[in-house]
PDB file of all heavy atoms in Angstrom:
ATOM      1  N   ASP H 342       5.638  23.439 -13.100  1.00 92.00           N
ATOM      2  CA  ASP H 342       6.235  23.059 -14.361  1.00 92.00           C
ATOM      3  C   ASP H 342       6.150  24.121 -15.419  1.00 92.00           C
ATOM      4  O   ASP H 342       5.523  23.927 -16.455  1.00 92.00           O
ATOM      5  CB  ASP H 342       5.495  21.773 -14.822  1.00 92.00           C
ATOM      6  CG  ASP H 342       6.206  21.020 -15.940  1.00 92.00           C
ATOM      7  OD1 ASP H 342       7.390  21.376 -16.234  1.00 92.00           O
ATOM      8  OD2 ASP H 342       5.601  20.087 -16.499  1.00 92.00           O
ATOM      9  N   PRO H 343       6.821  25.263 -15.220  1.00 88.00           N
ATOM     10  CA  PRO H 343       6.726  26.319 -16.225  1.00 88.00           C
ATOM     11  C   PRO H 343       7.255  25.881 -17.604  1.00 88.00           C
ATOM     12  O   PRO H 343       6.851  26.454 -18.598  1.00 88.00           O
ATOM     13  CB  PRO H 343       7.597  27.454 -15.657  1.00 88.00           C
ATOM     14  CG  PRO H 343       8.367  26.858 -14.507  1.00 88.00           C
ATOM     15  CD  PRO H 343       7.612  25.664 -14.056  1.00 88.00           C
ATOM     16  N   GLY H 344       8.056  24.825 -17.637  1.00 84.00           N
ATOM     17  CA  GLY H 344       8.623  24.391 -18.915  1.00 84.00           C
ATOM     18  C   GLY H 344       7.849  23.284 -19.614  1.00 84.00           C
ATOM     19  O   GLY H 344       8.328  22.678 -20.564  1.00 84.00           O
ATOM     20  N   VAL H 345       6.603  23.021 -19.148  1.00 85.00           N
ATOM     21  CA  VAL H 345       5.835  21.897 -19.721  1.00 85.00           C
ATOM     22  C   VAL H 345       5.758  22.014 -21.249  1.00 85.00           C
ATOM     23  O   VAL H 345       5.528  23.076 -21.792  1.00 85.00           O
ATOM     24  CB  VAL H 345       4.411  21.811 -19.135  1.00 85.00           C
ATOM     25  CG1 VAL H 345       3.603  23.071 -19.398  1.00 85.00           C
ATOM     26  CG2 VAL H 345       3.695  20.560 -19.597  1.00 85.00           C
ATOM     27  N   GLY H 346       5.996  20.899 -21.928  1.00 78.00           N
ATOM     28  CA  GLY H 346       5.881  20.861 -23.371  1.00 78.00           C
ATOM     29  C   GLY H 346       7.146  21.304 -24.093  1.00 78.00           C
ATOM     30  O   GLY H 346       7.211  21.258 -25.321  1.00 78.00           O
ATOM     31  N   THR H 347       8.185  21.744 -23.353  1.00 80.00           N
ATOM     32  CA  THR H 347       9.444  22.126 -23.979  1.00 80.00           C
ATOM     33  C   THR H 347      10.455  21.004 -23.759  1.00 80.00           C
ATOM     34  O   THR H 347      10.099  19.906 -23.360  1.00 80.00           O
ATOM     35  CB  THR H 347       9.997  23.446 -23.399  1.00 80.00           C
ATOM     36  OG1 THR H 347      10.358  23.190 -22.008  1.00 80.00           O
ATOM     37  CG2 THR H 347       8.949  24.533 -23.427  1.00 80.00           C
ATOM     38  N   ALA H 348      11.755  21.326 -23.958  1.00 84.00           N
ATOM     39  CA  ALA H 348      12.770  20.276 -23.913  1.00 84.00           C
ATOM     40  C   ALA H 348      13.089  19.801 -22.509  1.00 84.00           C
ATOM     41  O   ALA H 348      13.811  18.822 -22.332  1.00 84.00           O
ATOM     42  CB  ALA H 348      14.060  20.785 -24.596  1.00 84.00           C
ATOM     43  N   ARG H 349      12.603  20.450 -21.487  1.00 92.00           N
ATOM     44  CA  ARG H 349      12.895  20.004 -20.103  1.00 92.00           C
ATOM     45  C   ARG H 349      12.456  18.555 -19.962  1.00 92.00           C
ATOM     46  O   ARG H 349      11.426  18.159 -20.436  1.00 92.00           O
ATOM     47  CB  ARG H 349      12.277  20.940 -19.066  1.00 92.00           C
ATOM     48  CG  ARG H 349      10.745  20.838 -18.895  1.00 92.00           C
ATOM     49  CD  ARG H 349      10.326  19.901 -17.805  1.00 92.00           C
ATOM     50  NE  ARG H 349       8.898  19.662 -17.759  1.00 92.00           N
ATOM     51  CZ  ARG H 349       8.285  18.725 -18.455  1.00 92.00           C
ATOM     52  NH1 ARG H 349       8.911  17.966 -19.293  1.00 92.00           N
ATOM     53  NH2 ARG H 349       6.985  18.586 -18.335  1.00 92.00           N
ATOM     54  N   HIS H 400       0.286  18.805 -24.757  1.00 89.00           N
ATOM     55  CA  HIS H 400       1.481  19.596 -24.622  1.00 89.00           C
ATOM     56  C   HIS H 400       1.511  20.389 -23.295  1.00 89.00           C
ATOM     57  O   HIS H 400       2.522  20.997 -22.949  1.00 89.00           O
ATOM     58  CB  HIS H 400       1.549  20.628 -25.767  1.00 89.00           C
ATOM     59  CG  HIS H 400       1.804  19.993 -27.087  1.00 89.00           C
ATOM     60  ND1 HIS H 400       3.026  19.495 -27.455  1.00 89.00           N
ATOM     61  CD2 HIS H 400       0.954  19.773 -28.130  1.00 89.00           C
ATOM     62  CE1 HIS H 400       2.940  18.993 -28.684  1.00 89.00           C
ATOM     63  NE2 HIS H 400       1.693  19.148 -29.114  1.00 89.00           N
ATOM     64  N   VAL H 401       0.378  20.412 -22.568  1.00 90.00           N
ATOM     65  CA  VAL H 401       0.301  21.338 -21.439  1.00 90.00           C
ATOM     66  C   VAL H 401      -0.073  20.696 -20.099  1.00 90.00           C
ATOM     67  O   VAL H 401      -0.172  21.386 -19.111  1.00 90.00           O
ATOM     68  CB  VAL H 401      -0.700  22.481 -21.754  1.00 90.00           C
ATOM     69  CG1 VAL H 401      -0.153  23.369 -22.866  1.00 90.00           C
ATOM     70  CG2 VAL H 401      -2.060  21.939 -22.141  1.00 90.00           C
TER      71      VAL H 401
ATOM     72  N   VAL L 791       0.243  28.368 -30.924  1.00 96.00           N
ATOM     73  CA  VAL L 791       1.418  27.600 -30.531  1.00 96.00           C
ATOM     74  C   VAL L 791       0.966  26.239 -29.981  1.00 96.00           C
ATOM     75  O   VAL L 791      -0.211  26.023 -29.715  1.00 96.00           O
ATOM     76  CB  VAL L 791       2.232  28.352 -29.447  1.00 96.00           C
ATOM     77  CG1 VAL L 791       2.772  29.665 -30.020  1.00 96.00           C
ATOM     78  CG2 VAL L 791       1.403  28.603 -28.191  1.00 96.00           C
ATOM     79  N   ASN L 792       1.933  25.358 -29.842  1.00 93.00           N
ATOM     80  CA  ASN L 792       1.647  24.053 -29.238  1.00 93.00           C
ATOM     81  C   ASN L 792       1.748  24.104 -27.727  1.00 93.00           C
ATOM     82  O   ASN L 792       0.993  23.412 -27.032  1.00 93.00           O
ATOM     83  CB  ASN L 792       2.605  22.983 -29.765  1.00 93.00           C
ATOM     84  CG  ASN L 792       2.168  22.436 -31.080  1.00 93.00           C
ATOM     85  OD1 ASN L 792       1.003  22.035 -31.265  1.00 93.00           O
ATOM     86  ND2 ASN L 792       3.065  22.423 -32.056  1.00 93.00           N
ATOM     87  N   THR L 793       2.678  24.907 -27.229  1.00 91.00           N
ATOM     88  CA  THR L 793       2.874  24.982 -25.756  1.00 91.00           C
ATOM     89  C   THR L 793       3.473  26.309 -25.390  1.00 91.00           C
ATOM     90  O   THR L 793       3.954  27.078 -26.250  1.00 91.00           O
ATOM     91  CB  THR L 793       3.714  23.791 -25.250  1.00 91.00           C
ATOM     92  OG1 THR L 793       3.645  23.778 -23.822  1.00 91.00           O
ATOM     93  CG2 THR L 793       5.151  23.908 -25.698  1.00 91.00           C
ATOM     94  N   PHE L 794       3.428  26.606 -24.076  1.00 90.00           N
ATOM     95  CA  PHE L 794       3.846  27.911 -23.584  1.00 90.00           C
ATOM     96  C   PHE L 794       5.307  28.257 -23.925  1.00 90.00           C
ATOM     97  O   PHE L 794       5.633  29.390 -24.193  1.00 90.00           O
ATOM     98  CB  PHE L 794       3.635  27.954 -22.064  1.00 90.00           C
ATOM     99  CG  PHE L 794       2.250  27.578 -21.647  1.00 90.00           C
ATOM    100  CD1 PHE L 794       2.017  26.401 -20.948  1.00 90.00           C
ATOM    101  CD2 PHE L 794       1.169  28.363 -21.989  1.00 90.00           C
ATOM    102  CE1 PHE L 794       0.749  26.003 -20.588  1.00 90.00           C
ATOM    103  CE2 PHE L 794      -0.117  28.011 -21.623  1.00 90.00           C
ATOM    104  CZ  PHE L 794      -0.341  26.820 -20.920  1.00 90.00           C
ATOM    105  N   GLY L 795       6.164  27.255 -23.912  1.00 88.00           N
ATOM    106  CA  GLY L 795       7.592  27.489 -24.044  1.00 88.00           C
ATOM    107  C   GLY L 795       7.996  28.027 -25.411  1.00 88.00           C
ATOM    108  O   GLY L 795       9.141  28.442 -25.612  1.00 88.00           O
ATOM    109  N   GLU L 796       7.051  28.047 -26.369  1.00 91.00           N
ATOM    110  CA  GLU L 796       7.401  28.569 -27.686  1.00 91.00           C
ATOM    111  C   GLU L 796       7.396  30.099 -27.743  1.00 91.00           C
ATOM    112  O   GLU L 796       7.798  30.686 -28.723  1.00 91.00           O
ATOM    113  CB  GLU L 796       6.383  28.065 -28.734  1.00 91.00           C
ATOM    114  CG  GLU L 796       6.449  26.535 -28.911  1.00 91.00           C
ATOM    115  CD  GLU L 796       5.356  26.040 -29.843  1.00 91.00           C
ATOM    116  OE1 GLU L 796       4.961  26.783 -30.759  1.00 91.00           O
ATOM    117  OE2 GLU L 796       4.910  24.877 -29.650  1.00 91.00           O
ATOM    118  N   ARG L 797       6.928  30.712 -26.663  1.00 93.00           N
ATOM    119  CA  ARG L 797       6.926  32.177 -26.616  1.00 93.00           C
ATOM    120  C   ARG L 797       7.612  32.623 -25.326  1.00 93.00           C
ATOM    121  O   ARG L 797       7.979  31.820 -24.463  1.00 93.00           O
ATOM    122  CB  ARG L 797       5.480  32.723 -26.642  1.00 93.00           C
ATOM    123  CG  ARG L 797       4.754  32.496 -27.953  1.00 93.00           C
ATOM    124  CD  ARG L 797       5.285  33.414 -29.067  1.00 93.00           C
ATOM    125  NE  ARG L 797       4.529  33.235 -30.325  1.00 93.00           N
ATOM    126  CZ  ARG L 797       4.749  32.278 -31.222  1.00 93.00           C
ATOM    127  NH1 ARG L 797       5.707  31.378 -31.058  1.00 93.00           N
ATOM    128  NH2 ARG L 797       4.011  32.218 -32.332  1.00 93.00           N
ATOM    129  N   GLN L 798       7.805  33.928 -25.214  1.00 93.00           N
ATOM    130  CA  GLN L 798       8.485  34.484 -24.050  1.00 93.00           C
ATOM    131  C   GLN L 798       7.500  34.651 -22.890  1.00 93.00           C
ATOM    132  O   GLN L 798       6.326  34.935 -23.120  1.00 93.00           O
ATOM    133  CB  GLN L 798       9.085  35.868 -24.416  1.00 93.00           C
ATOM    134  CG  GLN L 798      10.167  35.796 -25.454  1.00 93.00           C
ATOM    135  CD  GLN L 798      11.280  34.867 -25.046  1.00 93.00           C
ATOM    136  OE1 GLN L 798      11.821  34.971 -23.947  1.00 93.00           O
ATOM    137  NE2 GLN L 798      11.608  33.891 -25.904  1.00 93.00           N
ATOM    138  N   PRO L 799       8.007  34.600 -21.641  1.00 93.00           N
ATOM    139  CA  PRO L 799       7.157  34.928 -20.483  1.00 93.00           C
ATOM    140  C   PRO L 799       6.493  36.278 -20.691  1.00 93.00           C
ATOM    141  O   PRO L 799       7.134  37.248 -21.140  1.00 93.00           O
ATOM    142  CB  PRO L 799       8.149  34.960 -19.322  1.00 93.00           C
ATOM    143  CG  PRO L 799       9.212  34.010 -19.717  1.00 93.00           C
ATOM    144  CD  PRO L 799       9.334  34.137 -21.195  1.00 93.00           C
ATOM    145  N   ASP L 801       4.077  36.826 -22.898  1.00 96.00           N
ATOM    146  CA  ASP L 801       3.380  36.863 -24.202  1.00 96.00           C
ATOM    147  C   ASP L 801       1.988  36.288 -24.102  1.00 96.00           C
ATOM    148  O   ASP L 801       1.764  35.301 -23.425  1.00 96.00           O
ATOM    149  CB  ASP L 801       4.174  36.086 -25.254  1.00 96.00           C
ATOM    150  CG  ASP L 801       5.375  36.829 -25.778  1.00 96.00           C
ATOM    151  OD1 ASP L 801       5.604  37.965 -25.339  1.00 96.00           O
ATOM    152  OD2 ASP L 801       6.101  36.247 -26.627  1.00 96.00           O
ATOM    153  N   VAL L 803      -0.805  34.104 -25.814  1.00 97.00           N
ATOM    154  CA  VAL L 803      -0.765  33.025 -26.779  1.00 97.00           C
ATOM    155  C   VAL L 803      -2.120  32.309 -26.869  1.00 97.00           C
ATOM    156  O   VAL L 803      -2.902  32.318 -25.933  1.00 97.00           O
ATOM    157  CB  VAL L 803       0.315  31.945 -26.431  1.00 97.00           C
ATOM    158  CG1 VAL L 803       1.715  32.546 -26.543  1.00 97.00           C
ATOM    159  CG2 VAL L 803       0.100  31.370 -25.054  1.00 97.00           C
ATOM    160  N   LEU L 805      -3.665  28.461 -27.844  1.00 96.00           N
ATOM    161  CA  LEU L 805      -3.245  27.066 -28.020  1.00 96.00           C
ATOM    162  C   LEU L 805      -4.387  26.129 -27.677  1.00 96.00           C
ATOM    163  O   LEU L 805      -5.431  26.557 -27.179  1.00 96.00           O
ATOM    164  CB  LEU L 805      -1.993  26.763 -27.200  1.00 96.00           C
ATOM    165  CG  LEU L 805      -2.089  26.727 -25.655  1.00 96.00           C
ATOM    166  CD1 LEU L 805      -0.830  26.082 -25.066  1.00 96.00           C
ATOM    167  CD2 LEU L 805      -2.238  28.136 -25.063  1.00 96.00           C
ATOM    168  N   VAL L 816      -1.422  33.711 -20.950  1.00 96.00           N
ATOM    169  CA  VAL L 816      -0.194  34.491 -20.917  1.00 96.00           C
ATOM    170  C   VAL L 816       0.897  33.567 -20.402  1.00 96.00           C
ATOM    171  O   VAL L 816       0.730  32.897 -19.375  1.00 96.00           O
ATOM    172  CB  VAL L 816      -0.347  35.736 -20.003  1.00 96.00           C
ATOM    173  CG1 VAL L 816       1.019  36.331 -19.675  1.00 96.00           C
ATOM    174  CG2 VAL L 816      -1.225  36.754 -20.680  1.00 96.00           C
ATOM    175  N   VAL L 817       2.023  33.485 -21.103  1.00 94.00           N
ATOM    176  CA  VAL L 817       3.128  32.584 -20.717  1.00 94.00           C
ATOM    177  C   VAL L 817       3.605  32.974 -19.301  1.00 94.00           C
ATOM    178  O   VAL L 817       3.972  34.145 -19.090  1.00 94.00           O
ATOM    179  CB  VAL L 817       4.284  32.628 -21.718  1.00 94.00           C
ATOM    180  CG1 VAL L 817       5.418  31.737 -21.277  1.00 94.00           C
ATOM    181  CG2 VAL L 817       3.789  32.238 -23.118  1.00 94.00           C
ATOM    182  N   ASN L 818       3.588  32.002 -18.398  1.00 92.00           N
ATOM    183  CA  ASN L 818       4.003  32.251 -16.987  1.00 92.00           C
ATOM    184  C   ASN L 818       3.243  33.431 -16.346  1.00 92.00           C
ATOM    185  O   ASN L 818       3.749  34.086 -15.448  1.00 92.00           O
ATOM    186  CB  ASN L 818       5.496  32.502 -16.850  1.00 92.00           C
ATOM    187  CG  ASN L 818       6.299  31.222 -17.126  1.00 92.00           C
ATOM    188  OD1 ASN L 818       5.752  30.205 -17.534  1.00 92.00           O
ATOM    189  ND2 ASN L 818       7.621  31.305 -16.912  1.00 92.00           N
TER     190      ASN L 818
END
Side-chain angles (χ1 to χ4, degrees):
Chain H
D342 194 10
V345 61
T347 67
R349 72 93 187 87
H400 291 286
V401 292
Chain L
V791 297
N792 278 309
T793 191
F794 308 111
E796 295 174 31
R797 292 288 183 276
Q798 295 304 309
D801 283 359
V803 294
L805 68 167
V816 164
V817 178
N818 290 7

